[in-house]
Coordinates of all heavy atoms in Angstrom, one line a residue:
M1 N -195.0 -20.1 77.7 CA -194.3 -19.0 77.1 C -193.1 -19.5 76.3 O -192.3 -20.3 76.9 CB -193.9 -18.0 78.1 CG -193.1 -16.9 77.6 SD -192.5 -15.7 78.8 CE -192.8 -16.4 80.3
A2 N -192.9 -19.1 75.1 CA -191.8 -19.5 74.4 C -190.5 -18.7 74.8 O -190.6 -17.5 75.0 CB -192.0 -19.3 72.9
R3 N -189.4 -19.3 74.9 CA -188.1 -18.6 75.2 C -187.4 -18.4 73.8 O -187.4 -19.3 73.0 CB -187.2 -19.5 76.0 CG -187.5 -19.3 77.5 CD -186.5 -20.0 78.3 NE -185.3 -19.3 78.4 CZ -184.4 -19.4 79.3 NH1 -184.6 -20.3 80.3 NH2 -183.3 -18.7 79.3
R4 N -186.9 -17.2 73.7 CA -186.1 -16.9 72.5 C -184.7 -17.2 72.8 O -184.2 -17.0 73.9 CB -186.3 -15.4 72.2 CG -187.7 -15.1 71.8 CD -188.0 -13.7 71.7 NE -186.9 -12.9 71.2 CZ -187.0 -11.6 71.2 NH1 -188.1 -10.9 71.5 NH2 -186.0 -10.9 70.7
T5 N -184.0 -17.8 71.8 CA -182.6 -18.0 72.0 C -181.8 -17.2 70.9 O -182.4 -16.8 69.9 CB -182.3 -19.5 71.8 OG1 -182.7 -19.9 70.5 CG2 -182.9 -20.4 72.8
F6 N -180.6 -16.9 71.2 CA -179.8 -16.1 70.4 C -178.5 -16.7 70.1 O -177.9 -17.4 70.9 CB -179.5 -14.7 71.1 CG -180.8 -14.0 71.4 CD1 -181.3 -14.1 72.7 CD2 -181.5 -13.3 70.5 CE1 -182.5 -13.5 73.1 CE2 -182.7 -12.7 70.9 CZ -183.2 -12.8 72.1
E7 N -177.9 -16.5 68.9 CA -176.6 -16.9 68.6 C -175.6 -15.9 69.1 O -175.7 -14.7 68.9 CB -176.5 -17.0 67.1 CG -175.2 -17.7 66.6 CD -175.2 -19.2 66.9 OE1 -176.3 -19.8 66.8 OE2 -174.2 -19.6 67.3
L8 N -174.6 -16.4 69.9 CA -173.7 -15.5 70.5 C -172.3 -15.4 69.9 O -171.4 -14.8 70.4 CB -173.5 -15.9 72.0 CG -174.7 -15.7 72.9 CD1 -174.4 -16.3 74.3 CD2 -174.9 -14.2 73.0
K9 N -172.1 -16.0 68.8 CA -170.8 -16.1 68.2 C -170.2 -14.8 67.9 O -169.0 -14.6 67.9 CB -170.8 -17.0 67.0 CG -171.0 -18.5 67.3 CD -171.0 -19.3 66.1 CE -171.3 -20.8 66.5 NZ -171.8 -21.6 65.5
S10 N -171.0 -13.7 67.6 CA -170.4 -12.5 67.2 C -170.3 -11.5 68.4 O -170.0 -10.3 68.2 CB -171.3 -11.8 66.1 OG -172.6 -11.6 66.6
I11 N -170.6 -11.9 69.6 CA -170.6 -11.0 70.8 C -169.1 -10.8 71.2 O -168.4 -11.8 71.4 CB -171.4 -11.6 71.9 CG1 -172.8 -11.7 71.6 CG2 -171.2 -10.8 73.2 CD1 -173.5 -10.4 71.3
D12 N -168.7 -9.6 71.4 CA -167.5 -9.2 72.0 C -167.7 -8.9 73.5 O -168.4 -7.9 73.8 CB -166.8 -8.1 71.3 CG -166.3 -8.4 69.9 OD1 -165.9 -9.6 69.8 OD2 -166.4 -7.6 69.1
F13 N -167.3 -9.7 74.4 CA -167.6 -9.5 75.8 C -166.6 -8.5 76.3 O -165.4 -8.5 75.9 CB -167.5 -10.8 76.6 CG -168.6 -11.7 76.3 CD1 -168.5 -12.8 75.5 CD2 -169.9 -11.5 76.9 CE1 -169.5 -13.6 75.2 CE2 -170.9 -12.3 76.6 CZ -170.8 -13.4 75.7
P14 N -167.0 -7.6 77.3 CA -166.1 -6.7 77.9 C -164.9 -7.5 78.6 O -165.1 -8.7 79.0 CB -166.9 -6.0 79.0 CG -168.3 -6.2 78.5 CD -168.4 -7.5 77.8
E15 N -163.8 -6.9 78.7 CA -162.6 -7.6 79.3 C -163.0 -8.2 80.6 O -163.6 -7.5 81.5 CB -161.5 -6.6 79.5 CG -160.2 -7.2 79.9 CD -159.1 -6.2 79.9 OE1 -159.1 -5.3 79.1 OE2 -158.2 -6.4 80.8
G16 N -162.6 -9.4 80.9 CA -162.9 -10.1 82.1 C -164.2 -10.7 82.2 O -164.5 -11.4 83.2
M17 N -165.1 -10.6 81.2 CA -166.4 -11.2 81.2 C -166.4 -12.4 80.2 O -165.9 -12.3 79.1 CB -167.4 -10.2 80.8 CG -167.6 -9.1 81.9 SD -168.9 -8.0 81.5 CE -168.8 -6.9 82.8
S18 N -167.1 -13.4 80.6 CA -167.3 -14.5 79.7 C -168.6 -15.2 80.1 O -169.3 -14.9 81.0 CB -166.1 -15.5 79.9 OG -166.1 -16.0 81.2
M19 N -168.9 -16.3 79.3 CA -170.2 -17.0 79.6 C -170.0 -18.1 80.6 O -168.9 -18.7 80.7 CB -170.6 -17.6 78.3 CG -171.0 -16.7 77.2 SD -172.4 -15.6 77.7 CE -173.6 -16.8 78.0
S20 N -171.0 -18.3 81.5 CA -171.0 -19.4 82.4 C -171.5 -20.6 81.6 O -172.0 -20.5 80.5 CB -171.8 -19.1 83.6 OG -173.1 -18.9 83.3
E21 N -171.5 -21.8 82.3 CA -171.9 -23.0 81.6 C -173.4 -22.9 81.3 O -173.8 -23.6 80.3 CB -171.6 -24.2 82.4 CG -170.1 -24.5 82.4 CD -169.7 -25.7 83.2 OE1 -170.6 -26.5 83.5 OE2 -168.5 -25.9 83.4
N22 N -174.2 -22.2 82.1 CA -175.6 -22.2 81.8 C -176.0 -21.1 80.9 O -177.2 -20.8 80.7 CB -176.4 -22.1 83.1 CG -176.2 -20.9 83.9 OD1 -175.4 -20.0 83.4 ND2 -176.8 -20.7 85.1
N23 N -175.0 -20.4 80.4 CA -175.2 -19.3 79.4 C -175.9 -18.0 79.9 O -176.3 -17.2 79.1 CB -176.1 -19.9 78.2 CG -175.3 -20.9 77.4 OD1 -174.1 -20.8 77.4 ND2 -176.0 -21.7 76.7
I24 N -176.0 -17.9 81.2 CA -176.4 -16.6 81.7 C -175.4 -16.3 82.8 O -175.1 -17.1 83.7 CB -177.8 -16.7 82.4 CG1 -178.9 -17.0 81.3 CG2 -178.1 -15.4 83.1 CD1 -179.2 -15.8 80.4
E25 N -174.9 -15.1 82.8 CA -173.9 -14.6 83.8 C -174.3 -13.3 84.3 O -174.8 -12.4 83.5 CB -172.6 -14.6 83.2 CG -171.4 -14.4 84.2 CD -170.1 -14.7 83.6 OE1 -169.8 -15.9 83.3 OE2 -169.3 -13.8 83.3
I26 N -174.3 -13.0 85.6 CA -174.6 -11.7 86.2 C -173.3 -11.2 86.8 O -172.7 -11.9 87.7 CB -175.7 -11.8 87.2 CG1 -177.0 -12.4 86.5 CG2 -176.0 -10.4 87.8 CD1 -178.1 -12.7 87.5
V27 N -172.9 -10.0 86.4 CA -171.6 -9.5 87.0 C -172.0 -8.2 87.8 O -172.7 -7.3 87.3 CB -170.7 -9.1 85.8 CG1 -169.4 -8.5 86.4 CG2 -170.3 -10.3 85.0
C28 N -171.5 -8.2 89.0 CA -171.7 -7.0 89.9 C -170.5 -6.1 89.5 O -169.4 -6.3 89.9 CB -171.6 -7.3 91.3 SG -172.8 -8.5 91.9
T29 N -170.8 -5.1 88.7 CA -169.7 -4.2 88.3 C -169.4 -3.3 89.4 O -170.2 -2.9 90.2 CB -170.1 -3.4 87.0 OG1 -171.1 -2.5 87.3 CG2 -170.5 -4.3 85.9
N30 N -168.1 -2.9 89.5 CA -167.7 -1.9 90.6 C -168.3 -0.6 90.3 O -168.2 0.0 89.2 CB -166.2 -1.8 90.6 CG -165.5 -3.0 91.2 OD1 -166.2 -3.7 92.0 ND2 -164.3 -3.2 90.9
N31 N -169.0 -0.1 91.3 CA -169.6 1.3 91.3 C -170.6 1.5 90.1 O -170.8 2.6 89.6 CB -168.5 2.4 91.1 CG -167.4 2.2 92.2 OD1 -167.7 1.9 93.3 ND2 -166.2 2.3 91.8
G32 N -171.2 0.4 89.7 CA -172.2 0.4 88.6 C -173.2 -0.6 88.7 O -173.5 -1.2 89.7
P33 N -173.8 -1.0 87.5 CA -174.9 -1.8 87.5 C -174.6 -3.3 87.6 O -173.5 -3.7 87.7 CB -175.5 -1.6 86.1 CG -174.3 -1.3 85.3 CD -173.4 -0.5 86.2
L34 N -175.7 -4.1 87.7 CA -175.6 -5.6 87.5 C -175.6 -5.8 86.0 O -176.6 -5.5 85.4 CB -176.7 -6.3 88.2 CG -176.8 -6.1 89.7 CD1 -178.1 -6.8 90.3 CD2 -175.6 -6.7 90.4
R35 N -174.6 -6.4 85.5 CA -174.6 -6.7 84.0 C -175.0 -8.1 83.8 O -174.4 -9.0 84.4 CB -173.2 -6.4 83.5 CG -173.1 -6.5 82.0 CD -172.1 -5.6 81.4 NE -172.4 -4.2 81.7 CZ -171.4 -3.3 82.0 NH1 -170.2 -3.6 82.0 NH2 -171.8 -2.0 82.3
V36 N -176.0 -8.3 83.0 CA -176.5 -9.7 82.7 C -176.1 -10.0 81.3 O -176.4 -9.2 80.4 CB -178.1 -9.7 82.9 CG1 -178.6 -11.1 82.6 CG2 -178.5 -9.2 84.3
I37 N -175.4 -11.1 81.2 CA -174.9 -11.5 79.9 C -175.4 -12.9 79.5 O -175.3 -13.8 80.4 CB -173.3 -11.5 79.9 CG1 -172.8 -10.1 80.4 CG2 -172.7 -11.9 78.6 CD1 -171.4 -10.2 80.8
G38 N -175.9 -13.1 78.3 CA -176.3 -14.4 77.9 C -177.2 -14.5 76.8 O -177.7 -13.4 76.4
D39 N -177.5 -15.7 76.4 CA -178.5 -15.8 75.4 C -179.8 -16.2 76.1 O -179.8 -16.9 77.1 CB -178.1 -16.9 74.3 CG -177.9 -18.2 74.9 OD1 -177.8 -18.3 76.1 OD2 -177.7 -19.2 74.1
G40 N -180.9 -15.8 75.6 CA -182.2 -16.1 76.2 C -182.5 -15.4 77.5 O -183.1 -16.0 78.4
I41 N -181.9 -14.2 77.7 CA -182.2 -13.5 79.0 C -183.7 -13.3 79.0 O -184.3 -12.8 78.1 CB -181.5 -12.1 79.0 CG1 -180.0 -12.3 79.0 CG2 -181.9 -11.3 80.2 CD1 -179.2 -11.1 78.8
V42 N -184.3 -13.6 80.2 CA -185.8 -13.3 80.4 C -185.8 -12.4 81.6 O -185.4 -12.8 82.7 CB -186.5 -14.6 80.6 CG1 -188.0 -14.3 80.9 CG2 -186.4 -15.5 79.4
L43 N -186.4 -11.2 81.4 CA -186.6 -10.3 82.5 C -188.1 -10.0 82.6 O -188.7 -9.6 81.6 CB -185.8 -9.0 82.2 CG -185.9 -7.9 83.2 CD1 -185.3 -8.3 84.6 CD2 -185.2 -6.6 82.7
K44 N -188.6 -10.1 83.8 CA -190.0 -9.9 84.0 C -190.3 -8.9 85.0 O -189.5 -8.6 85.9 CB -190.7 -11.3 84.5 CG -190.6 -12.3 83.4 CD -191.3 -13.6 83.9 CE -191.3 -14.6 82.8 NZ -192.2 -15.7 83.0
D45 N -191.5 -8.3 84.9 CA -191.9 -7.3 86.0 C -192.6 -8.1 87.1 O -192.7 -9.3 87.0 CB -192.8 -6.2 85.4 CG -194.1 -6.7 84.8 OD1 -194.5 -7.9 85.1 OD2 -194.8 -6.0 84.0
A46 N -193.1 -7.4 88.1 CA -193.7 -8.1 89.2 C -195.0 -8.8 88.9 O -195.4 -9.7 89.6 CB -194.0 -7.0 90.3
Q47 N -195.6 -8.4 87.8 CA -196.8 -9.1 87.3 C -196.6 -10.3 86.4 O -197.5 -10.9 86.0 CB -197.8 -8.1 86.6 CG -198.4 -7.0 87.5 CD -197.4 -6.0 87.9 OE1 -196.6 -5.5 87.2 NE2 -197.4 -5.6 89.2
G48 N -195.3 -10.5 86.2 CA -194.9 -11.7 85.3 C -194.9 -11.4 83.8 O -194.7 -12.3 83.0
N49 N -195.0 -10.1 83.5 CA -194.9 -9.7 82.1 C -193.4 -9.6 81.7 O -192.6 -9.1 82.5 CB -195.6 -8.4 81.8 CG -197.0 -8.4 82.2 OD1 -197.8 -9.3 81.8 ND2 -197.4 -7.5 83.1
T50 N -193.1 -10.1 80.5 CA -191.7 -10.2 80.1 C -191.3 -8.9 79.3 O -192.1 -8.4 78.4 CB -191.5 -11.4 79.1 OG1 -191.9 -12.6 79.8 CG2 -190.1 -11.5 78.7
F51 N -190.2 -8.3 79.6 CA -189.7 -7.2 78.9 C -189.2 -7.7 77.5 O -188.6 -8.7 77.4 CB -188.4 -6.6 79.6 CG -188.8 -5.8 80.8 CD1 -189.0 -6.4 82.1 CD2 -188.8 -4.4 80.8 CE1 -189.3 -5.7 83.2 CE2 -189.1 -3.7 81.9 CZ -189.3 -4.3 83.1
G52 N -189.5 -6.9 76.5 CA -188.9 -7.0 75.2 C -187.5 -6.4 75.2 O -187.3 -5.2 75.5
L53 N -186.5 -7.2 75.0 CA -185.1 -6.7 75.1 C -184.5 -6.4 73.8 O -183.3 -6.1 73.7 CB -184.2 -7.8 75.9 CG -184.7 -8.1 77.3 CD1 -183.9 -9.1 78.0 CD2 -184.8 -6.8 78.2
G54 N -185.2 -6.4 72.7 CA -184.7 -6.0 71.4 C -183.6 -6.8 70.9 O -182.8 -6.3 70.2
G55 N -183.5 -8.1 71.3 CA -182.5 -9.0 70.8 C -181.2 -8.8 71.6 O -180.1 -9.3 71.1
R56 N -181.1 -8.1 72.6 CA -179.9 -7.8 73.4 C -179.4 -9.1 74.1 O -180.2 -9.9 74.6 CB -180.1 -6.8 74.4 CG -180.2 -5.4 73.9 CD -180.6 -4.3 74.9 NE -180.5 -3.0 74.4 CZ -181.5 -2.5 73.7 NH1 -182.6 -3.2 73.4 NH2 -181.4 -1.2 73.2
H57 N -178.1 -9.3 74.1 CA -177.5 -10.4 74.8 C -176.8 -9.9 76.1 O -176.2 -10.6 76.8 CB -176.4 -11.0 73.9 CG -176.9 -11.4 72.6 ND1 -177.8 -12.5 72.4 CD2 -176.7 -10.9 71.4 CE1 -178.1 -12.6 71.1 NE2 -177.5 -11.6 70.5
I58 N -176.8 -8.6 76.2 CA -176.2 -7.9 77.4 C -177.1 -6.8 77.9 O -177.5 -6.0 77.1 CB -174.8 -7.3 77.2 CG1 -173.8 -8.4 76.7 CG2 -174.2 -6.7 78.4 CD1 -172.4 -7.9 76.3
I59 N -177.5 -6.9 79.1 CA -178.3 -5.7 79.7 C -177.7 -5.4 81.0 O -177.0 -6.2 81.7 CB -179.8 -6.1 79.9 CG1 -180.0 -7.3 80.8 CG2 -180.5 -6.3 78.5 CD1 -181.5 -7.5 81.2
S60 N -177.9 -4.1 81.4 CA -177.4 -3.6 82.7 C -178.5 -3.2 83.5 O -179.4 -2.4 83.1 CB -176.4 -2.5 82.4 OG -175.3 -2.9 81.7
L61 N -178.6 -3.7 84.8 CA -179.7 -3.4 85.7 C -179.2 -2.5 86.8 O -178.2 -2.8 87.4 CB -180.2 -4.7 86.3 CG -180.8 -5.7 85.3 CD1 -181.3 -7.0 86.0 CD2 -182.0 -5.1 84.5
C62 N -179.9 -1.4 87.0 CA -179.5 -0.4 88.0 C -179.5 -1.0 89.4 O -180.4 -1.7 89.8 CB -180.5 0.7 87.9 SG -180.2 2.0 89.2
R63 N -178.5 -0.7 90.1 CA -178.4 -1.1 91.5 C -178.1 0.1 92.4 O -177.9 0.0 93.6 CB -177.5 -2.3 91.8 CG -176.0 -2.0 91.7 CD -175.2 -3.3 91.9 NE -173.8 -3.0 91.8 CZ -173.0 -2.9 92.8 NH1 -173.4 -3.0 94.0 NH2 -171.7 -2.7 92.6
C64 N -178.0 1.3 91.8 CA -177.8 2.5 92.6 C -179.1 3.2 93.0 O -179.1 4.1 93.9 CB -176.9 3.5 91.8 SG -177.8 4.4 90.5
G65 N -180.2 2.9 92.2 CA -181.5 3.5 92.6 C -181.7 4.9 91.9 O -182.8 5.5 92.1
H66 N -180.8 5.3 91.1 CA -181.0 6.7 90.5 C -181.4 6.7 89.0 O -181.5 7.7 88.4 CB -179.7 7.5 90.7 CG -179.5 7.8 92.1 ND1 -180.1 8.9 92.7 CD2 -178.8 7.2 93.1 CE1 -179.7 9.0 94.0 NE2 -178.9 8.0 94.2
S67 N -181.5 5.5 88.4 CA -181.8 5.5 86.9 C -183.2 6.0 86.7 O -184.1 5.8 87.4 CB -181.7 4.1 86.4 OG -182.2 4.0 85.1
E68 N -183.3 6.8 85.6 CA -184.7 7.2 85.1 C -185.3 6.2 84.3 O -186.4 6.4 83.8 CB -184.5 8.6 84.3 CG -184.0 9.7 85.2 CD -184.9 10.2 86.2 OE1 -186.1 10.2 86.0 OE2 -184.4 10.6 87.3
N69 N -184.7 5.1 84.1 CA -185.2 4.0 83.2 C -185.1 2.7 83.9 O -184.7 1.7 83.3 CB -184.3 4.0 81.9 CG -184.9 3.1 80.8 OD1 -186.1 2.9 80.8 ND2 -184.0 2.5 80.0
K70 N -185.5 2.6 85.2 CA -185.4 1.4 85.9 C -186.3 0.3 85.3 O -187.3 0.7 84.7 CB -185.9 1.6 87.4 CG -185.0 2.5 88.2 CD -185.5 2.6 89.6 CE -184.8 3.7 90.4 NZ -185.2 5.0 90.1
P71 N -185.9 -0.9 85.3 CA -184.8 -1.5 86.0 C -183.5 -1.3 85.4 O -182.5 -1.9 85.9 CB -185.2 -2.9 86.2 CG -185.9 -3.2 84.9 CD -186.7 -2.0 84.6
F72 N -183.4 -0.7 84.2 CA -182.2 -0.6 83.4 C -181.3 0.6 83.9 O -181.8 1.6 84.3 CB -182.5 -0.5 82.0 CG -183.4 -1.5 81.4 CD1 -184.7 -1.3 81.2 CD2 -182.8 -2.8 81.2 CE1 -185.5 -2.3 80.8 CE2 -183.7 -3.8 80.8 CZ -185.0 -3.6 80.5
C73 N -180.0 0.4 83.8 CA -179.0 1.4 84.1 C -179.1 2.4 83.0 O -179.1 2.1 81.8 CB -177.7 0.8 84.2 SG -176.3 2.0 84.3
D74 N -179.0 3.7 83.4 CA -178.9 4.8 82.3 C -177.7 5.6 82.5 O -177.5 6.7 81.9 CB -180.2 5.7 82.4 CG -180.3 6.5 83.6 OD1 -179.4 6.4 84.6 OD2 -181.2 7.4 83.7
G75 N -176.8 5.1 83.3 CA -175.5 5.8 83.5 C -175.5 6.8 84.7 O -174.5 7.4 85.0
S76 N -176.7 6.9 85.4 CA -176.8 7.9 86.5 C -175.9 7.6 87.6 O -175.5 8.5 88.4 CB -178.2 8.0 87.0 OG -179.1 8.5 86.0
H77 N -175.5 6.3 87.7 CA -174.6 5.9 88.9 C -173.3 6.8 88.8 O -172.8 7.1 89.9 CB -174.3 4.4 88.8 CG -173.6 4.0 87.6 ND1 -174.3 3.6 86.4 CD2 -172.3 3.9 87.2 CE1 -173.5 3.3 85.5 NE2 -172.2 3.5 85.9
A78 N -172.8 7.1 87.7 CA -171.6 7.9 87.6 C -171.9 9.3 88.0 O -171.0 9.9 88.8 CB -171.0 7.8 86.1
R79 N -173.0 9.9 87.6 CA -173.3 11.2 88.0 C -173.5 11.4 89.5 O -173.1 12.4 90.0 CB -174.7 11.6 87.2 CG -175.2 13.0 87.6 CD -176.4 13.4 86.8 NE -177.5 12.4 86.8 CZ -178.3 12.2 87.9 NH1 -178.2 12.9 89.0 NH2 -179.2 11.2 87.8
V80 N -174.1 10.4 90.1 CA -174.3 10.6 91.6 C -173.2 10.0 92.4 O -173.2 10.1 93.6 CB -175.6 9.8 92.0 CG1 -176.8 10.5 91.3 CG2 -175.6 8.3 91.8
G81 N -172.1 9.5 91.8 CA -171.0 9.0 92.5 C -171.2 7.7 93.3 O -170.7 7.5 94.4
F82 N -172.1 6.9 92.7 CA -172.4 5.6 93.4 C -171.1 4.8 93.6 O -170.3 4.7 92.7 CB -173.4 4.8 92.6 CG -173.7 3.4 93.1 CD1 -174.4 3.3 94.3 CD2 -173.4 2.3 92.4 CE1 -174.7 2.0 94.8 CE2 -173.7 1.0 92.9 CZ -174.4 0.9 94.1
Q83 N -171.0 4.3 94.8 CA -169.8 3.5 95.1 C -170.2 2.2 95.8 O -170.8 2.2 96.8 CB -168.8 4.3 96.0 CG -168.2 5.5 95.3 CD -167.1 6.1 96.1 OE1 -166.9 5.8 97.3 NE2 -166.3 6.9 95.5
S84 N -169.8 1.1 95.2 CA -170.0 -0.2 95.7 C -169.1 -1.2 95.0 O -169.3 -1.4 93.8 CB -171.5 -0.6 95.6 OG -171.7 -2.0 96.0
E85 N -168.1 -1.7 95.7 CA -167.3 -2.7 95.1 C -167.6 -4.0 95.8 O -167.5 -4.1 97.0 CB -165.8 -2.3 95.2 CG -165.5 -1.0 94.4 CD -164.0 -0.8 94.3 OE1 -163.2 -1.6 94.8 OE2 -163.7 0.3 93.8
I86 N -167.9 -5.0 95.0 CA -168.4 -6.3 95.5 C -167.3 -7.3 95.2 O -166.8 -7.4 94.1 CB -169.7 -6.7 94.8 CG1 -170.8 -5.6 95.0 CG2 -170.2 -8.0 95.3 CD1 -171.3 -5.4 96.5
Q87 N -167.1 -8.2 96.2 CA -166.2 -9.3 96.0 C -167.1 -10.6 96.2 O -167.8 -10.6 97.1 CB -165.0 -9.3 96.9 CG -164.1 -8.2 96.6 CD -162.7 -8.4 97.3 OE1 -162.6 -9.0 98.3 NE2 -161.7 -7.8 96.6
A88 N -166.9 -11.5 95.3 CA -167.6 -12.8 95.4 C -167.3 -13.5 96.7 O -166.2 -13.4 97.3 CB -167.3 -13.7 94.3
R89 N -168.3 -14.1 97.3 CA -168.2 -14.7 98.6 C -169.2 -15.8 98.7 O -170.2 -15.9 97.9 CB -168.4 -13.7 99.7 CG -169.8 -13.1 99.7 CD -169.9 -11.9 100.7 NE -171.2 -11.3 100.8 CZ -171.5 -10.3 99.9 NH1 -170.7 -9.9 99.0 NH2 -172.7 -9.8 100.0
E90 N -169.0 -16.7 99.7 CA -170.0 -17.8 99.9 C -171.1 -17.3 100.8 O -170.8 -16.7 101.8 CB -169.3 -19.0 100.6 CG -168.2 -19.6 99.7 CD -168.8 -20.4 98.5 OE1 -169.9 -20.9 98.6 OE2 -168.2 -20.4 97.4
L91 N -172.3 -17.7 100.5 CA -173.5 -17.4 101.4 C -173.7 -18.6 102.2 O -173.4 -19.7 101.8 CB -174.7 -17.1 100.6 CG -174.7 -15.8 99.7 CD1 -176.0 -15.7 98.9 CD2 -174.5 -14.6 100.6
P92 N -174.2 -18.4 103.5 CA -174.6 -19.5 104.3 C -175.8 -20.2 103.7 O -176.5 -19.6 102.9 CB -174.9 -18.9 105.6 CG -175.3 -17.5 105.3 CD -174.5 -17.1 104.1
P93 N -176.0 -21.5 104.0 CA -177.2 -22.2 103.5 C -178.4 -21.4 103.9 O -178.5 -20.8 105.0 CB -177.1 -23.6 104.2 CG -175.7 -23.7 104.7 CD -175.2 -22.3 105.0
P94 N -179.5 -21.5 103.1 CA -180.7 -20.9 103.5 C -181.3 -21.5 104.8 O -181.1 -22.7 105.0 CB -181.6 -21.1 102.3 CG -181.1 -22.3 101.6 CD -179.6 -22.3 101.9
P95 N -182.0 -20.7 105.6 CA -182.6 -21.3 106.8 C -183.7 -22.3 106.4 O -184.3 -22.2 105.4 CB -183.2 -20.0 107.5 CG -183.3 -19.0 106.4 CD -182.3 -19.3 105.4
P96 N -183.8 -23.3 107.3 CA -184.8 -24.3 107.0 C -186.2 -23.7 107.0 O -186.5 -22.8 107.7 CB -184.7 -25.3 108.1 CG -183.8 -24.7 109.2 CD -183.1 -23.5 108.5
K97 N -187.1 -24.2 106.1 CA -188.4 -23.8 106.0 C -189.2 -24.4 107.2 O -189.1 -25.5 107.5 CB -189.0 -24.1 104.7 CG -188.3 -23.4 103.6 CD -189.0 -23.5 102.3 CE -188.2 -22.6 101.3 NZ -188.6 -22.8 100.0
P98 N -190.1 -23.6 107.8 CA -190.9 -24.1 108.9 C -191.9 -25.2 108.5 O -192.3 -25.3 107.4 CB -191.7 -22.9 109.4 CG -191.6 -21.8 108.4 CD -190.5 -22.2 107.5
Ligands
FES1 S1 -176.5 1.5 88.4 FE1 -176.4 2.7 86.6 S2 -178.0 4.1 86.9 FE2 -178.1 2.9 88.7

């Protein structure tokens, strides 16, 4: 499958957001979606089919469960009063495989 790449020079990132070195960044927004920022975002369904993202360099994925357009955020998190403030932390190493 061919990956599409995008030129990002004209993107204005929301305050506090920037690109990571691998050009994909996921931000857990407070009380809102997971914001995916980058060039060449690939989003697939469970069958492995790729979503057409219309050339977007930023997408928001619902984490409140109330969007009518899953997996994308449609703003319903605000209507339902979804609350979740996440702080970055270290995860323990994954358990060894049997
Ligand atoms: S996070 Fe926005 S609709 Fe669920």
